[in-house]
Amino acid sequence: MRERFAIRNLGQWVAQKREELVQYLQIKGLLPAPTEDMTYLEGAMQKTLPRVRPPLSFRQSLRENLALAARRQVSGLVVEYPQPFRGGVLLGVSVGVFALLFTIMLLLLRARWAEAER
């Protein structure tokens, strides 16, 4: 009984993944898309969604930002944001060095105390 249920679930999973793959290949243009569905969808989208017209100030600021980015790229300046794991690595190394120094200090104090007791 369990095996049949597992096989049925596996079959559904395979069918779902196949459908997702077909849709992905259609989006990428590697498989032809069904034309009737697409024309219907295009018409519905044009009726439902109005055209977007960005404000003039947005277009001007975008133009300035793109010009600035192009100048930076040509000049060779590169802004590199730190990777998220760098902070963790630095924190881990710092904790390790602190633990090492603390251990060395304890060993030196212990040796002194042992020497003083003699």
Side-chain angles (χ1 to χ4, degrees), residues 83-99:
Q83 299 295 328
F85 64 88
R86 285 185 187 171
V89 170
L90 288 174
L91 182 63
V93 169
S94 300
V95 168
V97 168
F98 177 78

Side-chain angles (χ1 to χ4, degrees), residues 4-66:
R4 278 196 293 181
F5 183 70
I7 291 172
R8 187 179 322 137
N9 281 347
L10 180 63
Q12 290 172 351
W13 181 82
V14 168
Q16 179 186 2
K17 292 302 174 186
R18 180 189 175 281
E19 186 63 33
E20 290 174 5
L21 178 64
V22 168
Q23 288 176 356
Y24 176 77
L25 293 175
Q26 286 174 346
I27 290 170
K28 292 296 181 182
L30 299 174
L31 284 179
T35 55
E36 305 88 31
D37 294 340
M38 294 306 275
T39 55
Y40 171 74
L41 179 63
E42 281 181 24
M45 294 286 284
Q46 286 178 353
K47 289 178 187 175
T48 306
L49 299 175
R51 287 189 155 227
V52 176
R53 303 220 187 273
L56 187 59
S57 62
F58 171 77
R59 296 178 70 183
Q60 182 62 30
S61 66
L62 179 62
R63 184 178 297 120
E64 291 170 2
N65 288 341
L66 290 174

Side-chain angles (χ1 to χ4, degrees), residues 61-112:
S61 66
L62 179 62
R63 184 178 297 120
E64 291 170 2
N65 288 341
L66 290 174
L68 178 63
R71 281 195 303 269
R72 283 185 180 169
Q73 188 174 17
V74 169
S75 71
L77 291 176
V78 177
V79 176
E80 182 180 320
Y81 296 102
Q83 299 295 328
F85 64 88
R86 285 185 187 171
V89 170
L90 288 174
L91 182 63
V93 169
S94 300
V95 168
V97 168
F98 177 78
L100 178 68
L101 292 175
F102 185 75
T103 305
I104 290 172
M105 196 169 81
L106 281 179
L107 290 174
L108 289 174
L109 287 174
R110 184 174 178 213
R112 262 191 172 176

